[in-house]
């Protein structure tokens, strides 16, 4: 009985070490050491090679090492077994830290003060809006969006959120569906994107959407934060919107192409803050434990949790 660990783009060694310790009853194989395909019961993956999972005749479940599953669903030869994704308080807390940090970075103009410090400039004549004056709109009100929205609301930001299906939450104005999107954008100074990448959301962060954001908010223009997926954004439209004033600034953790190409104008744009797709890393200590618990529960006959709806794509 074996577990396939197929990880690309991340260091696989810490994962191998943890799964070997947590699940000693299984032989751990990788795409390179895989010989007996019929022995593999579970696949634990991050960006697995297309076609690999279809070669495992006795596969019972696929575990994504991330919260997003677009890296699995993009495989055209995916076998018909359940896919479980990461929902874990460690990952959720990390994402909320990134969102709060970046909302505060724009609210408190930290980049301006960095520039001033480099030039030995003491100037405190700028406007300082309060959090209560700056409206945040969160695209995606799932595991990550809900936690981030609650933490932003606790800081005093007026928070709204948008989802596919209707929701309610204390202290958050909830919007859903296409009409709800326009209504939320009309009251958004900082737009935070925590959507999954699906056929319905691909390219949603585009010029038409930016044009619906107010230009007269207390930050002097709208701010975009995207930590969902790069495929949600049209980068040429972001650069054009920053140059035209439709956007005043952006914090981006994810990109159309990763690593972000050296010649991308986003690297050098003074109004853009870039992080290398690490807003919420999957830390092996937390996530290997959560996946191992799922496998052991499945072996006891318990239902898998956090199973992806393939039709919706998330
Ligand atoms: P969830 O599945 O819990 O939540 C997704 C939310 O998006 C739900 O509220 C859902 O609506 C909403 N949604 C999906 N499609 C649409 C649509 N077409 N229109 C309106 N709303 C829509 O996901 P998580 O919160 O756990 O994660 C979100 C994404 O964050 C991941 O898919 C991944 O891409 C990204 N991520 C990025 C990381 C990073 O480090 N940058 C780390 C972890 C995740 P409804 O509630 O009605 O279903
Ligand atoms: C994820 C990610 O989906 O790290 O968890 O991007």
């Amino acid at each position: 009985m074996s577990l396939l660990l197929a990880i690309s783009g991340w260091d696989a060694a810490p994962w191998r070490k943890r799964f070997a310790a947590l699940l000693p009853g299984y032989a751990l194989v990788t795409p390179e050491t895989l010989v007996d395909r019929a022995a593999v019961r579970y696949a634990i993956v991050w960006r697995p090679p297309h076609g690999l999972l279809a070669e495992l005749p006795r596969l019972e479940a696929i575990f994504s090492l991330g919260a997003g599953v677009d890296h699995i669903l993009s495989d055209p030869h995916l076998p018909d077994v359940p896919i479980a994704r990461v929902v874990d308080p460690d990952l959720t807390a990390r994402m909320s830290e990134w969102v709060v940090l970046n909302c505060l970075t724009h609210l408190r103009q930290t980049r301006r003060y960095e520039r001033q410090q480099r030039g030995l400039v003491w100037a405190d004549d700028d406007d300082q809006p309060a959090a209560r004056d700056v409206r945040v709109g969160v695209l995606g009100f799932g595991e990550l969006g809900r936690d981030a929205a609650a933490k932003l609301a606790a800081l005093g930001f007026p928070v709204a959120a948008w989802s596919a299906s209707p929701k309610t939450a204390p202290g958050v104005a909830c919007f859903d569906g296409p009409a709800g999107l326009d209504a939320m954008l009309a009251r958004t100074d900082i737009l935070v994107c925590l959507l999954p990448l699906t056929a319905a959301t691909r390219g949603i962060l585009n010029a038409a959407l930016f044009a619906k954001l107010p230009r007269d908010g207390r930050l002097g223009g709208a701010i975009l934060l995207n930590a969902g997926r790069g495929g949600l954004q049209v980068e040429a439209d972001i650069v054009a919107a920053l140059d035209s004033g439709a956007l005043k600034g952006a914090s981006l953790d994810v990109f159309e192409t990763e690593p972000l190409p050296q010649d991308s104008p986003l690297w050098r744009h003074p109004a853009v803050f870039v992080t290398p797709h690490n807003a919420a890393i999957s830390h092996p200590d937390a996530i290997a434990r959560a996946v191992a618990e799922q496998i052991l529960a499945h072996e006891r006959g318990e239902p898998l949790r956090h199973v992806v709806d393939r039709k919706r794509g998330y």
Side-chain angles (χ1 to χ4, degrees):
M1 205 161 54
S2 61
L3 290 178
L4 172 68
L5 193 56
I7 296 180
S8 54
W10 295 350
D11 180 10
W15 295 97
R16 267 200 305 274
K17 191 172 150 207
R18 271 136 186 116
F19 283 116
L22 289 162
L23 298 167
Y26 293 85
L28 212 53
V29 294
T30 64
E32 297 73 32
T33 61
L34 175 62
V35 179
D36 184 359
R37 289 175 162 68
V40 177
R41 301 275 293 282
Y42 303 105
I44 303 171
V45 304
W46 179 251
R47 298 188 187 143
H50 285 182
L52 174 69
L53 300 169
E55 293 172 3
L56 309 171
R58 295 185 60 216
L59 187 67
E60 293 186 22
I62 300 166
F63 294 92
S64 170
L65 284 180
V69 288
D70 47 300
H71 64 107
I72 301 174
L73 296 179
S74 57
D75 182 345
H77 308 292
L78 210 50
D80 187 18
V81 298
I83 302 167
R85 70 188 191 93
V86 168
V87 174
D88 187 85
D90 182 85
L91 185 140
T92 302
R94 289 168 191 270
M95 181 58 86
S96 292
E97 286 169 8
W98 187 91
V99 171
V100 167
L101 170 74
N102 282 284
C103 285
L104 292 177
T105 291
H106 293 281
L107 174 73
R108 301 304 302 256
Q109 307 176 63
T110 53
R111 305 207 90 183
R112 170 185 169 146
Y113 296 117
E114 275 166 13
R115 278 194 301 274
Q116 286 190 190
Q117 184 174 351
R118 277 198 299 275
L120 313 183
V121 174
W122 183 279
D124 64 354
D125 54 345
D126 48 313
D127 188 21
Q128 284 287 358
R132 66 175 174 276
D133 302 324
V134 174
R135 302 158 297 177
V136 181
V138 182
L139 295 173
F141 200 43
E143 296 294 335
L144 303 182
R146 278 198 304 274
D147 192 69
K151 287 173 178 163
L152 292 168
L155 284 172
F157 289 100
V159 180
W162 181 68
S163 51
S165 54
K167 299 274 183 312
T168 56
V172 179
C174 292
F175 297 86
D176 61 90
L181 177 58
D182 284 3
M184 189 182 85
L185 295 174
R187 48 83 64 220
T188 292
D189 301 313
I190 301 180
L191 183 66
V192 178
C193 182
L194 293 174
L195 285 166
L197 179 63
T198 69
T201 60
R202 184 174 290 280
I204 189 170
L205 301 173
N206 60 30
L209 181 143
F210 303 145
K212 294 173 184 166
L213 293 166
R215 290 188 180 213
D216 58 354
R218 289 286 274 114
L219 296 181
I223 306 291
L224 171 68
L225 272 55
N226 184 16
R229 279 290 180 267
L232 298 163
Q233 71 200 14
V234 180
E235 286 168 13
D237 288 6
I238 294 177
V239 173
L242 288 165
D243 293 344
S244 74
L247 286 177
K248 178 152 191 258
S251 293
L252 304 174
D253 183 60
V254 287
F255 301 91
E256 288 173 3
T257 303
E258 294 179 5
L260 183 61
Q262 295 283 298
D263 62 356
S264 167
L266 295 170
W267 276 119
R268 289 166 197 86
H269 202 294
V272 178
F273 182 66
V274 169
T275 49
H277 194 149
N278 65 356
I281 60 158
S282 289
H283 196 282
D285 282 343
I287 307 307
R289 196 179 316 114
V291 172
E293 279 166 11
Q294 282 257 62
I295 289 176
L296 295 172
H298 184 259
E299 290 289 296
R300 292 192 298 269
E302 294 168 25
L304 285 175
R305 299 163 67 224
H306 316 307
V307 173
V308 171
D309 178 335
R310 288 199 192 197
K311 271 212 195 79
R312 290 189 319 185
Y314 64 97

